[in-house]
Amino acid sequence: MAVSQPHPSNSPSDHFDVVVVGAGFAGMYQLHRLRQRGFSARVYEQGGDVGGTWYWNRYPGARCDVESMQYSYSFSDELQQQWDWSERYAPQPEILAYAGHVADRFGLRRDIQFNTRVGSVLFDEATQRWTVTTSDGARVTAQYVILATGCLSNARMPEIDGLDRFEGQIYHTGNWPHAPVDFTGLRVGVIGTGSSAIQSIPIIAEQASRLTVFQRTANFSVPARNAPLTAEERQAFRDNYPEIRRKARQDMRNGIVQPLPDRGALDDPDAVRRDKYLARWTSGGLTFMGVYNNLTLDRHANDTAADFIRERIAEIVEDPKVARLLQPDSHPVGSKRICVDTDYYATFNRPNVELVDLRADPIACILPDGLRTANQHYKLDALVFATGFDAMTGSVAKIEIVGRGEMTLNRKWAEGPRTYLGLMSAGFPNLFVITGPGSPSVLSNMIVSIEQHVDWITDCIGYLRDNQLASIEANREAEDRWVAHVNEVAQGTLYPQANSWYMGANIPGKPQIFMPYIGGVGVYRQICDDVAAKGYEGFVLGAPEQPKQAAASS
């Protein structure tokens, strides 16, 4: 569809109360809330339309791993009552259509400038305002900058010798072409076996004449059991949305409503435990990890779930050698985000699919006609990189952000991201991050966490305006205490035992520190609410605005 654009200006005299970076689900809702409170705002979006990660991730089989009736906005009852999700797990085109519908319904596009990347965000200590420079050369100022850049939006392309000489087609699941891609009759190589690979491999295998999957680390995956939603199923959710949304925000650790376990895995006899795992495996989805309350805390308990999944893989995959390679053995189940699939393991029973173990036979280089491992040459017509993202910090790191004393955020975060509540970083006044490191973020239903952060940020800057305060900034001591708390909570779980993107382990040279807050969305929400109720405890509030400064921002 044609997307209208605000007229870009090269004048530095364009002033806004707030600049928002990113027009995914976080940026769209943030714009809506700012308008409700009467703030002037401009949103800059690198892509050609709204949708964020769902605008870029168009690979075959892309769909959400949270059920569609829960992966949706709750702020408008009319919206959640009227939008019809077609499947239990919404496919990417439908999620993107939903984002477009929200943009149209609330008239958001008129304040969004698309196809525009933010290059730099510089703080002026004299005026207490940010200067934002964009890829079209425009410069604007804003009292507040809100980074809604997304946690999984900076696709990572590995550095492999010879990649630039490959004569075939090259794709990345995180930056897929908008036009359909047809692999019919082609020899295709997929590098990586994370979530996007697990979703796309079964579909690519149906088209390609030959599919070679290059796996470094096997990942745990459970069946989605996706199916069309009936009108009765949709209505059951709609009739109970107030209670469902309350439970997601307050009672569920990950913001996904599911039955709460009352015991640990070792509290049940073997046969009972196996039946419970089988019931969740049969029903499908992420709730598999919610069978017992200690699967992410106790390694012996976790082993019972991991062994169950490994047994299912051995049952599904006909070749015992391939089955063993697909059985994860390097990390506890759930310590990396567990994947949700449709016929992933069964795909390796196809005669045109081959699995290469990169731990035994690593990639040496890419050749013009394919890929060479240490022991073999694979001729390929197309390469698909399913190598993930520079998660949580990568999109922020691409922007030159300069705070007090000319300190850059990249320099401050060189040894790992440091935030207070995942919302702000000391030394960078009036700069907010939505679902940033130090918040539940990627360990949760992202829509639940997005709405909580947006509401908190909007209330915060509303408080500052109402009290004629010029700025808010994280206190360094409060930030240090929060970073220590985030790591202390993480160390009490099994999560740090995996080399995962939660730790930044998929990016060479990136400090390995557990980035999301694992304490749960309900606990975290209460902490944030308590901080606000105590006059934004742990933050430094700036002096009242001077008349001259107030005029400059009008």
Side-chain angles (χ1 to χ4, degrees):
M1 65 171 293
V3 178
S4 61
Q5 298 286 300
H7 180 68
S9 170
N10 292 317
S11 169
S13 62
D14 283 350
H15 302 304
F16 299 95
D17 294 325
V18 186
V19 161
V20 179
V21 185
F25 282 96
M28 287 197 297
Y29 181 47
Q30 184 65 76
L31 174 59
H32 177 67
R33 291 288 283 118
L34 291 169
R35 283 184 180 172
Q36 285 183 324
R37 297 293 292 267
F39 289 101
S40 64
R42 170 65 53 81
V43 180
Y44 293 105
E45 167 55 47
Q46 181 174 315
D49 202 352
V50 298
T53 189
W54 300 107
Y55 176 85
W56 300 106
N57 285 258
R58 299 165 181 254
Y59 59 85
R63 66 177 67 242
C64 190
D65 59 4
V66 177
E67 294 189 19
S68 52
M69 296 300 290
Q70 298 197 53
Y71 189 82
S72 54
Y73 286 124
S74 69
F75 71 86
S76 167
D77 190 52
E78 283 189 355
L79 175 63
Q80 66 182 6
Q81 292 295 331
Q82 294 174 8
W83 179 265
D84 281 339
W85 293 106
S86 66
E87 299 179 51
R88 180 183 179 188
Y89 296 97
Q92 178 271 337
E94 189 169 357
I95 299 173
L96 192 60
Y98 174 73
H101 171 78
V102 171
D104 291 339
R105 189 181 191 112
F106 297 100
L108 300 179
R109 287 189 178 90
R110 69 176 182 268
D111 289 320
I112 305 173
Q113 185 168 315
F114 296 100
N115 301 306
T116 304
R117 186 179 62 82
V118 170
S120 66
V121 179
L122 313 177
F123 186 67
D124 186 323
E125 296 189 50
T127 64
Q128 299 282 288
R129 293 179 68 81
W130 291 94
T131 297
V132 178
T133 304
T134 58
S135 55
D136 62 357
R139 290 169 57 227
V140 302
T141 71
Q143 186 170 4
Y144 305 97
V145 172
I146 301 173
L147 301 176
T149 48
C151 300
L152 299 175
S153 55
N154 188 34
R156 172 186 174 264
M157 183 67 80
E159 295 181 5
I160 302 176
D161 182 47
L163 179 59
D164 57 337
R165 297 192 297 272
F166 183 61
E167 294 176 354
Q169 306 164 24
I170 297 176
Y171 304 98
H172 192 291
T173 52
N175 192 12
W176 201 260
H178 291 198
V181 176
D182 186 3
F183 292 109
T184 300
L186 300 182
R187 299 164 297 179
V188 181
V190 174
I191 298 176
T193 50
S195 179
S196 62
I198 284 172
Q199 289 185 331
S200 61
I201 281 170
I203 295 175
I204 295 173
E206 292 175 354
Q207 298 178 354
S209 63
R210 183 79 181 167
L211 173 61
T212 306
V213 177
F214 298 91
Q215 172 186 275
R216 183 182 63 183
T217 305
N219 282 296
F220 289 98
S221 187
V222 296
R225 310 297 185 197
N226 189 40
L229 281 172
T230 66
E232 292 75 21
E233 288 171 325
R234 286 193 293 265
Q235 196 57 47
F237 263 92
R238 289 167 175 160
D239 291 344
N240 293 283
Y241 256 142
E243 180 63 9
I244 290 170
R245 300 301 196 185
R246 186 201 65 77
K247 285 183 177 180
R249 297 182 188 114
Q250 299 177 12
D251 298 344
M252 301 295 151
R253 177 177 290 272
N254 62 2
I256 301 171
V257 175
Q258 57 186 297
L260 289 174
D262 62 356
R263 67 192 65 195
L266 303 180
D267 295 331
D268 276 336
D270 291 352
V272 172
R273 184 171 58 243
R274 186 184 185 282
D275 287 346
K276 287 184 177 180
Y277 285 143
L278 186 60
R280 289 292 177 96
W281 180 269
T282 303
S283 64
L286 290 176
T287 62
F288 180 88
M289 289 301 296
V291 177
Y292 292 108
N293 59 20
N294 63 344
L295 294 184
T296 60
L297 302 174
D298 183 288
R299 186 60 189 256
H300 295 297
N302 186 280
D303 285 343
T304 66
D307 287 344
F308 176 86
I309 295 177
R310 285 190 279 259
E311 290 169 7
R312 302 290 77 69
I313 295 170
E315 287 178 356
I316 295 167
V317 180
E318 295 166 358
D319 186 325
K321 181 181 178 182
V322 175
R324 283 193 296 273
L325 291 177
L326 290 168
Q327 292 170 322
D329 59 8
S330 63
H331 60 280
V333 60
S335 59
K336 293 185 175 185
R337 189 175 180 96
I338 195 168
C339 300
V340 177
D341 73 88
T342 299
D343 297 329
Y344 172 66
Y345 295 116
T347 296
F348 290 91
N349 295 329
R350 296 177 62 100
N352 66 326
V353 176
E354 178 181 7
L355 180 65
V356 177
D357 179 12
L358 294 181
R359 290 186 296 183
D361 190 14
I363 294 173
C365 64
I366 292 175
L367 302 171
D369 66 346
L371 182 151
R372 179 177 291 283
T373 63
N375 299 319
Q376 193 165 341
H377 177 192
Y378 297 89
K379 291 193 174 183
L380 302 168
D381 303 304
L383 269 172
V384 175
F385 287 89
T387 45
F389 303 88
D390 186 353
M392 300 196 72
T393 60
S395 294
V396 173
K398 291 169 69 175
I399 304 170
E400 182 189 14
I401 300 173
V402 184
R404 292 192 189 278
E406 299 187 354
M407 170 63 74
T408 68
L409 191 62
N410 281 337
R411 194 157 76 243
K412 181 184 175 184
W413 286 8
E415 301 303 318
R418 302 186 68 79
T419 71
Y420 179 40
L421 303 179
L423 284 160
M424 302 192 82
S425 193
F428 298 84
N430 295 356
L431 179 77
F432 297 92
V433 185
I434 298 177
T435 62
S439 73
S441 188
V442 292
L443 292 177
S444 68
N445 178 346
M446 287 298 295
I447 303 287
V448 172
S449 290
I450 283 169
E451 288 189 326
Q452 185 257 330
H453 262 194
V454 168
D455 289 340
W456 193 95
I457 291 168
T458 305
D459 289 345
C460 176
I461 64 176
Y463 174 89
L464 297 174
R465 180 182 63 182
D466 294 345
N467 289 275
Q468 296 184 311
L469 295 168
S471 64
I472 183 169
E473 181 178 352
N475 173 280
R476 201 169 296 275
E477 289 74 25
E479 178 178 279
D480 289 344
R481 288 193 298 271
W482 182 251
V483 170
H485 174 62
V486 169
N487 282 281
E488 180 184 12
V489 174
Q491 291 303 321
T493 74
L494 302 178
Y495 282 90
Q497 295 187 22
N499 289 323
S500 70
W501 55 261
Y502 293 149
M503 303 279 294
N506 62 323
I507 305 298
K510 186 172 182 175
Q512 293 195 28
I513 181 172
F514 196 77
M515 291 184 282
Y517 178 61
I518 201 172
V521 298
V523 170
Y524 174 79
R525 178 184 294 269
Q526 190 60 56
I527 291 171
C528 291
D529 288 349
D530 289 346
V531 163
K534 295 175 182 177
Y536 294 94
E537 184 179 56
F539 292 95
V540 179
L541 306 186
E545 293 184 4
Q546 300 301 312
K548 182 178 180 181
Q549 292 174 321
S553 64
S554 62

